[in-house]
Each structure stands twice: as C-alpha cells, then as structure tokens.
Amino acid sequence: PPRLPLRHPCRPPTAQAVIQHAAQAFAVAMNVDSRTFTTGFERPISRGSAIFYPPQPAALAEEQYGVSPHTDFGCLTLLYQDPIGGLEVRNAHGEWVVATPIKGTFVVNVGDLLARWTNDRFASTPHRVRNLSGRERLSLGVFVDPDFETVIDPTVVCRARETAKYPPVRCGDYVLERYAGAFAYRQKT
C-alpha cells in the first residue's frame, strides 16, 4: 500500500497523517487489509480542543477529578500534554497508571467507535485527569473520526464463524447520538 509521509523536511506531521498511519497499524495488527480503517477519511469529523485544568486542592477527596473517568466516543484521540501531568489511564487489571508526559510525544487513545469497528479486539481507553500539581495544566486534544457517511461495520474484521457484536452504523450518526446523550442536560424541556 502507499505510504503516507509522516514528516516533511520543514513541517511536523499533521494529525491526519498520524491518524492514517495509526489506522493502518491497527489493521495490520488484526491481519486485515491495511486500508480497512483508512477509507472514508476524505472529510473526517475532527474536533480539536485546548483543555484547561485549574489546580485541584490537595485536600479534595480521592474521587474528585479535573475530568472524571471516561472513554472517548470516537475512533482515535491524539493528546498533547504539558509537562505538569495529571492524566491517568486504567490498565487491564483495573489499576490507574500515571501517563507521565514525554516531551515531543502524543498520547493516542482508542475510542469507543474504533473498539466497535474492531469488534472489541481493541478496547477503548478509560482515562481520567487529577491535577494535584498545585499548578495550572493545559492539554491539547484532537479527536478524529472518519467522514460522516462512513459505515462502521465490525464484520470487516470478523473471522470465520465469528459474529459481529454490533450492527453497522454511520460514523456521524454514532457520534451525534453519543454527544446528544452526554449533553442531554443542555436540551430545553
């Protein structure tokens, strides 16, 4: 398959190029065509956000968060952390592990939509933020999903005699439904 250049001599890679490479890697890891998760990215549903976290007082209870435990709705998230830290990721044993910031790197989170597309072979990443540093924290997130019309169908990864756990769904419909549920409190009654 054609390779996407990750680096131009004068520019850092775009989020789209990073996502394309990551999507190819997920497909290769599953022994399916490397383009399985890269089709339908001509006009991706991408959202970027700068997220500010004020310092949390040390006296707060253990269950007080800058962001409570959750998974991301979409396919993949690229997250750039400042050196303050505070991101924690739940591992397979249910333990919260600090995602220590590494200069010049991004955290890549698998979201619920990619977990669905891979028939749960890749799990979405539960994470939370606790800013106990005593300083302000800033992170930059890019949430990338395929085009609105792309059909997310887990049968593309199913092996012989394996049943898909989820019906096909259009990417945009799924994302809008998840946002509507998450922000239902904003709807007028």
Side-chain angles (χ1 to χ4, degrees), residues 87-173:
L87 176 64
E88 298 177 347
V89 180
R90 193 172 67 208
N91 68 19
H93 304 291
E95 303 159 333
W96 290 101
V97 178
V98 173
T100 304
I102 301 170
K103 186 177 180 177
T105 65
F106 290 90
V107 174
V108 179
N109 281 339
V110 170
D112 299 338
L113 192 58
L114 185 60
R116 179 186 183 113
W117 208 352
T118 64
N119 212 33
D120 287 337
R121 286 206 189 87
F122 286 98
S124 57
T125 310
H127 54 285
R128 66 185 185 187
V129 177
R130 297 189 316 142
N131 184 11
L132 304 176
S133 69
R135 301 183 350 215
E136 295 177 342
R137 177 183 189 271
L138 183 67
S139 64
L140 302 172
V142 177
F143 308 89
V144 181
D145 299 311
D147 304 347
F148 193 98
E149 298 294 330
T150 298
V151 175
I152 306 302
D153 184 358
T155 62
V156 299
V157 301
C158 288
R159 298 179 182 123
R161 293 185 290 281
E162 180 182 4
T163 303
K165 296 178 182 179
Y166 309 96
V169 64
R170 280 190 328 166
C171 174
D173 293 335

Side-chain angles (χ1 to χ4, degrees), residues 40-61:
F41 273 90
E42 288 76 35
R43 294 175 42 176
I45 303 172
S46 298
R47 300 145 326 271
S49 182
I51 309 162
F52 172 76
Y53 301 92
Q56 293 175 240
L60 286 179

Side-chain angles (χ1 to χ4, degrees), residues 13 27 62 85 146 183:
E62 176 69 22
F183 298 109

Side-chain angles (χ1 to χ4, degrees), residues 60-85:
L60 286 179
E62 176 69 22
E63 60 278 342
Q64 295 291 317
Y65 308 102
V67 173
S68 62
H70 69 284
T71 56
D72 294 337
F73 300 156
C75 278
L76 288 170
T77 302
L78 294 178
L79 180 72
Y80 178 78
Q81 302 187 78
D82 70 8
I84 301 300

